[in-house]
Amino acid sequence: MASYSDFFQTATGHDSIFPYQQRLAENQWPDLLNIPTGLGKTAAVTLAWAWRRGLRPYGKREATDDTTPRRLVWCFPMRVLVEQTVENIKEWFSRLGWLGEAGEGKVSIHVLMGGEDDLKSWTQWPEEEMILVGTQDMLLSRALMRGYGISRYQWPIHFSLLHNDSLWVFDEVQLMGSGLATAAQIEAFRRNFSLAKPSRTLWVSATLSPAWLATVDFKPHIDTLNSLCINEEDRNMPAVQTRLSSLKRLAPEQLPLTKENAKQKGKDYINSLSEKVMGAKKAGKNTLVVLNRVDRAQGLYKKLKKQNLPDDSLLLLHARFRPAERRAIESRLKTLPPNEGRIIIATQAVEAGVDITSATLFTELAPWPSLVQRFGRCNRYGEENASGGGEVFWVDIQDDEQSAPYDPEELDSARRIVQNLDTAASGSLPPVDEKNELQMVIRKKDFIELFNTDPDISGFDIDISEYVRDPGQPRFSVFWREMDDPNDPLQPLPGRDELCPVSIGQANTLKNRTKWFWDTLARKWVKLAGFIRPGMTLMLDAKEGGYHPEYGFSGDEKGPVKVIDCANSNEDTCFDSDKNSLQIKPVTIPDHLNQTVEEAQTLCSALNEKHWLKTIMTAAKWHDVGKSHPVFQETMHSCDQVPAGLLAKSPCNAFHNRRYFRHELASMLAWIQNPTDSSPEDINVVAFLLAAHHGKVRMSIRALPDEPEAPEGKRYARGIWENDKLPGFSMNGNEFPPTALKLDLMELGESPPGPSWTARTQELLADHGPFVLSWLESLVRIADWRASANPETTASGEE
């Protein structure tokens, strides 16, 4: 039987393990992990999770720890941390013989950040161990049922799987801004609402104060939190001693950023700083300069570029690059500095997760937790101790207008600490005990309201950006294309490598440029006439500029942008599409229902889902009864060589003759009128699962704004008209009677079938909570996907 120490060393290739890493795997899970930088927190958590899940080297298994969820979710405040983490995790699991793709029964690794192509494969296999690695805007937006970068119809499944059977790990929490308060509130909601499967949260940082988590709903839990820190056994290890006592002289740099030298885009400040940096550069060493804003970092890079420095001796790293250029920069960071030395100019992106060290560090004044992280990038491993240690220079910011993205009060507090220090050695720094400034805090009522995925009457969604953003401005994404006809651009959706993240604060630089957004209902690119909203993805004309491969997004850049090949662009899901009904081989409704029931049974068995098994099986059996509707059958039979009979799938590629027709609404109405062998409460749960099984009809029933009216003043909604008739049919002894559909449920108040649809769904939400309800919704949808996916399926379960 392998020991954890052997397991850890096999995965990492290291010849030793820190004692705290051993304790993390063998004792109960903590809530807080407060470990100094450079001591392997990512490996500690990831491999402890794998060990507790019963994974052993070379694909072997032992018993699973019931307190360890099957999904590990790494949430980072910055995307620059994501790719490096993914690379390391893949290497560890490859060495263990457990790395695989979703559906192979191994551990699959999935990236969730802006523009990422893998939006759905991880959701199709909830019974497998998986590791999700993403940015806080992408992950927290999904946890709030408003997932950035994905179709709204996928929101409920991402929400469900991230709240059930998931271990959330929030790393570098000092950089999370208001996202930290949201993370604490969400954990409070998970402790207060019922869960279908246990989940938990672990907060990780070298500068973690429990007081930061004392939000209105999580505050009652603060005193019960368990914390894991290094102890004397850890401190006695030579590697730990070296990191904690590495020599770092600390001194103020005598060129503060003032109102005067900040004029003309900080020209005088940049000129003076460039002279200081050039004077401090050392042969064969890294000189790291950390500035608080991208525009200042770009300005310093351009100034130093004029010094005719050798190739590879000057790098710029920030969060406003496209993935292709950013990967190239990060690859160069991993190489040894050239003989002439290397200058690395960076923003907050370097504070955490970027494994680099420097002999000399310049940093602008920042909040104390951020300064502690930045100091950790100088003489990181004690490699400069023999030559007298590293040097750290801090640059004061004396103009409040230049303090962004931080508050002046945060900088005042940090200044009072740092001006009394002459060393930046980790073991000599004061603890981080200042209270984290909480901004927007999501409350229980707000969280419940987000369960409804319908846009408001103006066509927009609730803005959650204040709850998920990192410090600084919320973001949107842009990409560039060469336009043949700017008035009607026929362009595919963007691929991941095309997308460049942009701060909302930079939106003003695009005010005179034409911008397009994807209209899901119209299925085309539409010119943006209003304001740019956080989370949007906008298409720009490459001829108008705005980007340079060396220094990233810049509204001042006038030259044409090099367009990245978009051959692997994403596909969108439209409201009235029925892509999962498009197959080369026709499938009858009874056959598809039977296949879905079988898949639901298999899925529930793998997840040990017993409590809701009957409900899920009933929903699987009824979910596509509405496809017997004449409108749907006309579409299924709209091409040649299609057999007679009621079809759930066919090769006919056509749109329905009623705009916005949704067969799942017909399924739900038929069930309400013909419930079989179910309790009154279960009738409504099944009804919700039927309506929601594509994510397009959930909490309300209403006609869409431009939906054509039904004739003769009939009630209508989502392409269903009052008294539309479904023919009867049978499946394996189950009878589905002919039904004239009634839309009484869309009205307020009581009607012959009982309460309105809104009253029913609100009661379900109150009784079961959002986590259980979304879990059931997800299992039915996943069973449907699997039944729809076979070697001859062209859409592979797409909706």
Side-chain angles (χ1 to χ4, degrees):
M1 179 177 175
S3 69
Y4 181 66
S5 177
D6 293 337
F7 176 84
F8 188 92
Q9 292 173 49
T10 298
T12 62
H14 298 163
D15 57 6
S16 64
I17 180 174
F18 293 131
Y20 92 86
Q21 295 172 326
Q22 186 97 26
R23 298 195 302 275
L24 185 61
E26 296 178 348
N27 300 335
Q28 71 176 31
W29 278 111
D31 302 293
L32 312 175
L33 184 62
N34 200 334
I35 303 296
T37 185
L39 296 185
K41 296 188 294 292
T42 306
V45 175
T46 303
L47 296 175
W49 168 83
W51 179 262
R52 289 168 175 268
R53 287 297 304 173
L55 309 184
R56 298 297 182 263
Y58 317 116
K60 296 180 180 179
R61 265 192 184 276
E62 292 182 5
T64 299
D65 169 25
D66 292 339
T67 69
T68 302
R70 73 183 71 222
R71 277 177 294 283
L72 176 63
V73 183
W74 275 101
C75 182
F76 292 101
M78 297 178 178
R79 63 185 297 148
V80 71
L81 311 179
V82 171
E83 290 173 338
Q84 179 175 313
T85 299
V86 168
E87 182 179 326
N88 291 336
I89 292 176
K90 285 184 175 180
E91 183 176 348
W92 300 332
F93 281 85
S94 178
R95 287 173 174 164
L96 291 170
W98 273 102
L99 182 64
E101 299 295 331
E104 294 180 352
K106 293 191 174 184
V107 176
S108 53
I109 320 296
H110 304 267
V111 177
L112 298 179
M113 62 182 182
E116 174 55 43
D117 295 332
D118 183 11
L119 300 179
K120 186 173 176 183
S121 71
W122 70 272
T123 63
Q124 294 176 320
W125 301 96
E127 70 271 41
E128 293 188 349
E129 278 95 6
M130 291 184 178
I131 301 177
L132 312 179
V133 188
T135 50
Q136 72 178 53
D137 55 346
M138 292 296 149
L139 284 167
L140 288 180
S141 64
R142 285 160 170 75
L144 295 177
M145 194 73 90
R146 288 299 182 277
Y148 289 167
I150 59 172
S151 164
R152 72 170 61 245
Y153 313 124
Q154 293 289 325
W155 290 349
I157 298 185
H158 287 237
F159 176 90
S160 161
L161 300 185
L162 288 172
H163 286 299
N164 292 288
D165 221 354
S166 289
L167 167 59
W168 279 74
V169 184
F170 291 99
D171 198 11
E172 308 300 352
V173 298
Q174 76 284 351
L175 301 177
M176 287 183 64
S178 60
L180 181 57
T182 300
Q185 284 292 96
I186 286 175
E187 177 61 15
F189 300 150
R190 282 198 288 262
R191 296 185 182 203
N192 294 333
F193 288 117
S194 297
L195 290 171
K197 298 290 180 181
S199 290
R200 61 183 308 122
T201 299
L202 176 62
W203 286 278
V204 178
S205 176
T207 54
L208 176 60
S209 172
W212 295 351
L213 304 175
T215 58
V216 59
D217 289 298
F218 198 61
K219 189 174 182 178
H221 303 284
I222 292 295
D223 292 339
T224 68
L225 299 181
N226 296 314
S227 180
L228 191 153
C229 308
I230 61 171
N231 58 19
E232 285 304 311
E233 186 181 7
D234 294 291
R235 293 189 181 93
N236 288 334
M237 295 192 69
V240 177
Q241 292 177 352
T242 299
R243 285 163 172 76
L244 295 183
S245 61
S246 61
L247 301 176
K248 308 177 190 183
R249 294 182 298 279
L250 177 65
E253 184 55 72
Q254 302 302 320
L255 51 90
L257 179 56
T258 65
K259 186 180 292 290
E260 187 62 31
N261 66 13
K263 294 177 179 177
Q264 295 181 314
K265 297 184 179 181
K267 179 180 179 181
D268 291 343
Y269 171 70
I270 294 297
N271 289 341
S272 299
L273 183 57
S274 66
E275 293 176 5
K276 294 285 187 179
V277 171
M278 286 297 295
K281 184 167 69 75
K282 296 179 181 179
K285 305 288 185 179
N286 282 332
T287 298
L288 177 60
V289 186
V290 186
L291 305 180
N292 295 346
R293 287 184 12 191
V294 172
D295 57 348
R296 290 203 289 266
Q298 290 172 328
L300 180 60
Y301 177 85
K302 293 176 184 178
K303 179 65 179 179
L304 290 173
K305 188 75 174 174
K306 296 177 181 178
Q307 301 293 325
N308 296 318
L309 297 171
D311 290 344
D312 202 35
S313 64
L314 180 63
L315 294 178
L316 175 63
L317 176 65
H318 57 72
R320 303 291 180 256
F321 282 104
R322 295 183 297 196
E325 286 88 6
R326 190 177 61 254
R327 284 194 297 268
I329 294 168
E330 292 170 359
S331 177
R332 291 167 66 191
L333 277 175
K334 297 175 184 177
T335 64
L336 293 174
N339 291 334
E340 299 81 2
R342 176 186 287 147
I343 299 172
I344 303 168
I345 304 166
T347 57
Q348 297 93 320
V350 81
E351 287 181 21
V354 180
D355 191 11
I356 61 172
T357 186
S358 61
T360 307
L361 168 68
F362 290 85
T363 174
E364 291 183 330
L365 185 66
W368 179 240
S370 293
L371 286 180
V372 172
Q373 294 289 336
R374 296 180 189 187
F375 295 164
R377 268 62 197 169
C378 179
N379 196 16
R380 182 173 176 83
Y381 306 108
E383 72 279 359
E384 300 296 326
N385 287 355
S387 58
E391 293 184 296
V392 179
F393 301 98
W394 63 277
V395 179
D396 199 5
I397 297 179
Q398 298 178 356
D399 178 15
D400 287 353
E401 293 182 1
Q402 301 300 319
S403 64
Y406 307 116
D407 292 328
E409 293 78 10
E410 294 179 289
L411 301 190
D412 290 342
S413 177
R415 186 183 299 108
R416 287 192 294 270
I417 297 173
V418 74
Q419 65 188 4
N420 294 316
L421 300 176
D422 59 10
T423 177
S426 299
S428 303
L429 297 177
V432 176
D433 54 9
E434 61 187 66
K435 186 176 181 180
N436 194 37
E437 189 68 29
L438 298 180
Q439 302 174 20
M440 294 290 291
V441 177
I442 189 165
R443 301 301 302 270
K444 179 179 177 181
K445 178 178 179 293
D446 305 319
F447 186 73
I448 290 295
E449 287 179 356
L450 289 170
F451 193 77
N452 187 347
T453 54
D454 287 338
D456 61 27
I457 58 175
S458 64
F460 292 107
D461 292 300
I462 297 172
D463 182 9
I464 61 164
S465 61
E466 290 292 335
Y467 302 134
V468 305
R469 67 182 181 137
D470 58 7
Q473 298 288 337
R475 300 174 184 171
F476 61 101
S477 296
V478 298
F479 68 100
W480 290 264
R481 293 282 174 81
E482 294 173 348
M483 301 292 178
D484 295 326
D485 182 2
N487 293 318
D488 187 20
L490 300 176
Q491 298 283 349
L493 294 177
R496 173 189 171 191
D497 277 355
E498 295 182 85
L499 293 178
C500 178
V502 182
S503 163
I504 280 290
Q506 296 174 296
N508 193 50
T509 64
L510 299 176
K511 65 179 182 180
N512 295 322
R513 304 188 188 195
T514 306
K515 303 167 285 291
W516 293 266
F517 71 97
W518 181 255
D519 188 318
T520 301
L521 292 179
R523 301 188 296 274
K524 66 178 183 179
W525 291 102
V526 176
K527 286 185 179 180
L528 179 67
F531 295 109
I532 296 176
R533 289 173 171 259
M536 294 185 82
T537 296
L538 301 177
M539 180 170 63
L540 305 176
D541 191 336
K543 295 190 296 294
E544 296 184 358
Y547 187 87
H548 191 283
E550 280 192 57
Y551 45 84
F553 178 86
S554 173
D556 297 332
E557 180 63 27
K558 303 301 182 184
V561 179
K562 181 181 178 181
V563 174
I564 292 178
D565 181 16
C566 57
N568 295 321
S569 61
N570 296 319
E571 291 190 4
D572 182 63
T573 301
C574 304
F575 180 86
D576 52 353
S577 69
D578 261 311
K579 280 191 172 184
N580 71 331
S581 301
L582 179 62
Q583 288 189 7
I584 295 173
K585 180 181 177 181
V587 179
T588 67
I589 292 177
D591 283 349
H592 176 64
L593 293 178
N594 188 56
Q595 291 166 4
T596 305
V597 169
E598 292 177 356
E599 292 291 352
Q601 176 74 61
T602 301
L603 181 59
C604 288
S605 177
L607 290 167
N608 196 30
E609 178 55 73
K610 299 177 180 178
H611 180 76
W612 291 101
L613 178 61
K614 180 181 177 182
T615 304
I616 293 168
M617 299 295 285
T618 302
K621 184 171 66 177
W622 275 80
H623 80 284
D624 271 356
V625 167
K627 285 187 174 181
S628 64
H629 192 289
V631 168
F632 192 91
Q633 288 306 303
E634 181 181 345
T635 304
M636 292 293 96
H637 292 83
S638 62
C639 58
D640 296 335
Q641 297 179 336
V642 177
L646 297 175
L647 296 180
K649 318 283 181 184
S650 96
C652 302
N653 189 6
F655 285 102
H656 302 306
N657 63 18
R658 283 189 198 170
R659 195 175 186 189
Y660 305 135
F661 175 84
R662 296 310 312 172
H663 68 271
E664 59 267 37
L665 175 55
S667 297
M668 182 272 284
L669 294 173
W671 163 257
I672 287 288
Q673 294 171 228
N674 303 283
T676 57
D677 190 26
S678 294
S679 66
E681 177 185 302
D682 208 38
I683 289 174
N684 287 336
V685 177
V686 171
F688 174 78
L689 299 182
L690 298 180
H693 83 265
H694 286 298
K696 301 180 181 183
V697 184
R698 297 182 70 250
M699 301 297 288
S700 63
I701 301 175
R702 67 187 188 198
L704 293 178
D706 57 345
E707 182 174 348
E709 294 184 7
E712 302 173 3
K714 294 180 180 179
R715 284 182 291 216
Y716 66 97
R718 315 298 172 101
I720 303 298
W721 296 350
E722 184 83 8
N723 287 323
D724 280 350
K725 293 180 174 56
L726 302 186
F729 64 93
S730 61
M731 179 202 76
N732 290 347
N734 296 286
E735 294 296 328
F736 302 94
T739 304
L741 301 178
K742 304 296 183 181
L743 282 166
D744 309 67
L745 296 181
M746 66 184 295
E747 306 287 355
L748 295 178
E750 293 280 335
S751 63
S756 70
W757 182 246
T758 299
R760 292 173 190 243
T761 55
Q762 290 301 318
E763 183 178 4
L764 287 176
L765 193 54
D767 290 346
H768 303 293
F771 305 132
V772 170
L773 208 54
S774 64
W775 172 255
L776 302 178
E777 179 179 356
S778 295
L779 297 192
V780 173
R781 292 181 67 178
I782 293 167
D784 184 27
W785 292 349
R786 293 184 179 182
S788 299
N790 61 57
E792 295 183 300
T793 301
T794 60
S796 188
E798 284 291 336
E799 299 185 330

